[in-house]
Amino acid sequence: MATFTVRPARTSDVPLIQVLVEPLAQRRILLGKDRVVLYEAVQEFRIAENDAGEVVGCGALHVMWQDLGEVRTLAVAQDSLGTGAGHALLESIETRALELGLSRLFCLTFETTFFGRHGFTPIADDVVAPEVFAQLALSPDEGVAEFLDLSRVKQNTLGNTRMLKMLK
């Protein structure tokens, strides 16, 4: 397995994030994001660089509630799949989640085998208390709507699996 440096994203990484995400968005594996949305969320992103200093992957942590975060936009360059870049990114995201005081991580994914190897399991509908659900439902964020399994995002999430991991 190769070694990677994982670091917080900078604004100069946004075009590279878009390059990583675009092929997956075209295949409907990830939702495409406009560049402005990536700039607005740049502080949520982590970047994986290989030994040559090339950006080979990205991933984001989005805080949803007091104890709950979402792994978003986890993408690895095609020629770096299977090298450990995704693992390094997810490990970094989990570390950051713990630093923030989160105890649960959510993802919406087609990559159930990858996330399953990292301790994520499929979830049922009732993963938050009704009062928390009511508060989360007020969010305009599409990722929160995906987590809540709201009908307005069904067209974007068909075939995806909602998964959750309890952190240490």
Side-chain angles (χ1 to χ4, degrees), residues 4 27 57 67 90 154:
F4 298 93
R27 294 182 10 225
D67 65 333
L90 189 54
K154 291 287 189 203

Side-chain angles (χ1 to χ4, degrees), residues 81-131:
L81 292 174
T83 62
H87 171 79
L89 281 161
L90 189 54
E91 189 175 77
S92 177
I93 288 168
E94 289 181 15
T95 297
R96 181 66 182 137
L98 287 168
E99 291 170 354
L100 290 170
L102 302 178
S103 59
R104 300 183 298 165
L105 274 182
F106 161 76
C107 68
L108 182 70
T109 186
F110 287 107
E111 302 296 336
T112 56
T113 301
F114 171 81
F115 281 98
R117 281 194 318 262
H118 291 88
F120 286 76
T121 56
I123 58 173
D125 293 335
D126 302 328
V127 293
V128 294
E131 60 273 9

Side-chain angles (χ1 to χ4, degrees), residues 16-17 31 35 40 57 59 82 147 155:
L16 301 170
I17 292 170
L31 291 177
R35 192 169 286 193
E40 290 171 346
F147 171 73
Q155 67 278 8

Side-chain angles (χ1 to χ4, degrees), residues 17-113:
I17 292 170
Q18 204 166 33
V19 166
L20 287 166
V21 170
E22 188 57 33
L24 299 172
Q26 288 176 358
R27 294 182 10 225
R28 299 186 58 93
I29 293 170
L30 288 178
L31 291 177
K33 293 187 165 69
D34 292 323
R35 192 169 286 193
V36 67
V37 173
L38 293 173
Y39 279 116
E40 290 171 346
V42 72
Q43 70 278 2
E44 297 181 352
F45 275 87
R46 314 294 290 172
I47 296 295
E49 294 179 337
N50 63 16
D51 291 336
E54 301 165 322
V55 173
V56 296
C58 65
L61 170 64
H62 180 77
V63 175
M64 297 171 72
W65 198 250
Q66 175 182 354
D67 65 333
L68 179 65
E70 180 184 5
V71 177
R72 290 188 173 177
T73 320
L74 187 62
V76 173
Q78 183 69 33
D79 60 353
S80 293
L81 292 174
T83 62
H87 171 79
L89 281 161
L90 189 54
E91 189 175 77
S92 177
I93 288 168
E94 289 181 15
T95 297
R96 181 66 182 137
L98 287 168
E99 291 170 354
L100 290 170
L102 302 178
S103 59
R104 300 183 298 165
L105 274 182
F106 161 76
C107 68
L108 182 70
T109 186
F110 287 107
E111 302 296 336
T112 56
T113 301

